Amino acid sequence: MIFYDLLWLPEHIVNDLRFCFQKTSLVGSECCGLILGSYQKYIAHAQQLVPVHNVHQQKNSFMLPLHTYRQAKYISKKCNWDIIGIYHSHPNGKPYPSPMDVRGIENSDYPWLILAPAWDKQARPELVAFQQGTMKPITIQCQGECKYN
């Protein structure tokens, strides 16, 4: 199991998350995937996203195909990284875990990052991360500014 208190996102990851959110929000479905990077002393550094086609039949849910983990582990091993998280979006919801998310987080080996629209007029996504056992948000720090507009 991976635990950390701070998730550092470089600008290219922030841009990839923004693109994912915007693309799937147009059709009302959730985007999802894995976050690759490194972690030590309770700080994780994201290096790459592995976006995945959401295979869940319902628009307000997500499911990662099993082969996704094999693909991500292969990429991680080549780059000397780890899988450091799972991400998905709530295109019409709040940036907090749903009851189904809570069950998923509690049964996962990885922290979860949730993208959701901010409740302001800018309609930019908010990022919130949670991990097993605590269900308290993980601090997210971005290179430069975490702007989504």
Side-chain angles (χ1 to χ4, degrees), residues 13 16-17 20 31-37 47-53 64 67-76 81-83 85-87:
I13 297 288
D16 290 348
L17 288 168
C20 162
C31 68
C32 57
L34 297 170
I35 306 167
L36 307 181
Q47 300 292 332
Q48 181 177 335
L49 295 183
V50 179
V52 175
H53 175 71
L64 302 175
H67 73 273
T68 302
Y69 291 95
R70 288 191 300 272
Q71 175 191 12
K73 285 182 183 205
Y74 175 78
I75 295 168
S76 294
W81 296 333
D82 294 297
I83 297 172
I86 295 171
Y87 71 90

Side-chain angles (χ1 to χ4, degrees), residues 15-34:
N15 290 337
D16 290 348
L17 288 168
R18 178 184 63 224
F19 178 76
C20 162
F21 183 84
Q22 291 171 343
K23 182 175 133 185
T24 57
S25 292
L26 294 175
V27 294
S29 65
E30 294 190 10
C31 68
C32 57
L34 297 170

Side-chain angles (χ1 to χ4, degrees), residues 19-109:
F19 178 76
C20 162
F21 183 84
Q22 291 171 343
K23 182 175 133 185
T24 57
S25 292
L26 294 175
V27 294
S29 65
E30 294 190 10
C31 68
C32 57
L34 297 170
I35 306 167
L36 307 181
S38 59
Y39 68 98
Q40 60 179 316
K41 295 192 178 186
Y42 303 104
I43 299 174
H45 296 266
Q47 300 292 332
Q48 181 177 335
L49 295 183
V50 179
V52 175
H53 175 71
N54 184 353
V55 296
H56 204 286
Q57 300 297 322
Q58 296 177 341
K59 284 190 173 189
N60 62 345
S61 297
F62 81 99
M63 184 185 313
L64 302 175
L66 288 178
H67 73 273
T68 302
Y69 291 95
R70 288 191 300 272
Q71 175 191 12
K73 285 182 183 205
Y74 175 78
I75 295 168
S76 294
K77 190 173 183 176
K78 271 179 62 171
C79 298
N80 201 25
W81 296 333
D82 294 297
I83 297 172
I84 62 167
I86 295 171
Y87 71 90
H88 77 284
S89 64
H90 290 174
N92 300 310
K94 295 181 180 180
Y96 300 103
S98 67
M100 191 181 310
D101 290 341
V102 170
R103 286 190 301 277
I105 292 166
E106 288 300 326
N107 291 309
S108 176
D109 289 336

